[in-house]
Amino acid sequence: MNLTYYSFPPFSVEPGKVTVIDTGAQRVYRELTFGLQGREDTIKLSDTDFASVPLKTGAQWYGDPMLTLNLNTLFQRKLQSQLMKLLADDEVVKLADGLRELLSKILADSYLMDVPLELPEIPELAKLVKFSGIQLTPDLQDDAYGIIETLIKVLVELNDHHMIVLTNVSHYLQVSQLQLLVRFMANVDLPLLLIEFSPSQRKDYFKKCDYHYIDSDFVLW
């Protein structure tokens, strides 16, 4: 995937790598972040042959991993649907039989209530899974690295190949955690782009990343 931001050369964002565009210019940061959210027409995407790719097709903005990225809000229902696809037919039958047995036991004990009751139809599996409340563990909410790694794992599971766009990751990850992320991404066929703001270059922090820095004078290093 190529990202073009006028008037700089296209930035290549390749699967399996952590690509970083870091800047000390507020205007650049605003135009990159707003452009990647589709709020301004400042970013163009293209494939490896430089054919135009619509922003919604090529990239997905997730923003700040601690402030704007809620994994359960984004993915709970999708993961529940994916879980249902993994269940074999005989497992579905067993689940339905188990529920029927439970409801029958409840109905058998209903003699204590002087009201007419009957056994309803067994709810569809989708409703049962939704009712179960299966979700991603809430233990992740205070762990920036865990949130990012889980996001990537979820996207792999859902076969989502959009370019992942995050910002302010350097606010939360230690150098060792960032390197852990670099190694993790090396085994994932997804492109990851980080948009960051800093008054100075940070090559040492972003070691082994595909790092680009645009200074306050709009010079690309």
Side-chain angles (χ1 to χ4, degrees):
M1 183 71 67
N2 298 300
L3 181 152
T4 300
Y5 169 59
Y6 185 82
S7 59
F8 298 95
F11 298 94
S12 177
V13 186
E14 300 179 14
K17 293 185 178 181
V18 177
T19 302
V20 183
I21 303 179
D22 197 10
T23 183
Q26 291 179 340
R27 192 184 104 187
V28 172
Y29 183 80
R30 172 193 167 87
E31 291 182 347
L32 285 172
T33 55
F34 277 42
L36 285 161
Q37 293 175 72
R39 297 170 63 183
E40 290 185 359
D41 189 22
T42 52
I43 298 296
K44 302 295 181 185
L45 300 180
S46 58
D47 61 20
T48 53
D49 296 320
F50 289 95
S52 179
V53 174
L55 183 65
K56 289 184 177 180
T57 303
Q60 180 60 56
W61 171 269
Y62 293 103
D64 188 304
M66 298 299 288
L67 299 180
T68 62
L69 179 54
N70 187 314
L71 294 174
N72 277 313
T73 298
L74 289 171
F75 299 114
Q76 184 179 19
R77 293 184 65 179
K78 292 181 179 179
L79 288 172
Q80 289 174 351
S81 297
Q82 187 73 0
L83 179 60
M84 287 187 292
K85 294 177 183 177
L86 299 176
L87 293 173
D89 290 342
D90 60 334
E91 292 175 314
V92 174
V93 172
K94 289 179 182 178
L95 286 171
D97 288 344
L99 178 61
R100 186 178 291 106
E101 181 180 350
L102 174 62
L103 293 176
S104 297
K105 179 64 170 62
I106 293 173
L107 191 61
D109 293 337
S110 67
Y111 67 90
L112 297 175
M113 300 174 61
D114 188 21
V115 291
L117 298 173
E118 67 176 3
L119 185 64
E121 293 183 2
I122 301 300
E124 295 178 358
L125 180 59
K127 293 181 180 179
L128 291 177
V129 174
K130 181 179 180 180
F131 178 75
S132 72
I134 292 175
Q135 62 178 355
L136 292 162
T137 173
D139 294 343
L140 292 171
Q141 61 187 3
D142 296 323
D143 178 9
Y145 179 82
I147 290 172
I148 296 170
E149 183 179 283
T150 302
L151 168 66
I152 296 164
K153 288 180 176 179
V154 168
L155 295 174
V156 170
E157 185 65 41
L158 296 177
N159 200 31
D160 186 331
H161 294 286
H162 286 78
M163 179 174 69
I164 304 165
V165 187
L166 296 168
T167 190
N168 301 333
V169 169
S170 63
H171 293 187
Y172 308 111
L173 299 190
Q174 299 175 2
V175 173
S176 59
Q177 291 177 307
L178 182 64
Q179 292 307 305
L180 188 61
L181 180 61
V182 169
R183 293 192 294 272
F184 178 73
M185 286 302 301
N187 298 306
V188 178
D189 189 28
L190 286 174
L192 173 60
L193 173 64
L194 307 183
I195 305 297
E196 300 285 334
F197 185 88
S198 172
S200 59
Q201 288 192 64
R202 297 181 289 175
K203 288 184 177 180
D204 289 340
Y205 176 81
F206 289 107
K207 185 180 179 181
K208 296 184 180 179
C209 297
D210 187 6
Y211 181 73
H212 311 273
Y213 184 75
I214 302 173
D215 67 20
S216 56
D217 295 320
F218 305 99
V219 176
L220 174 64
W221 297 85

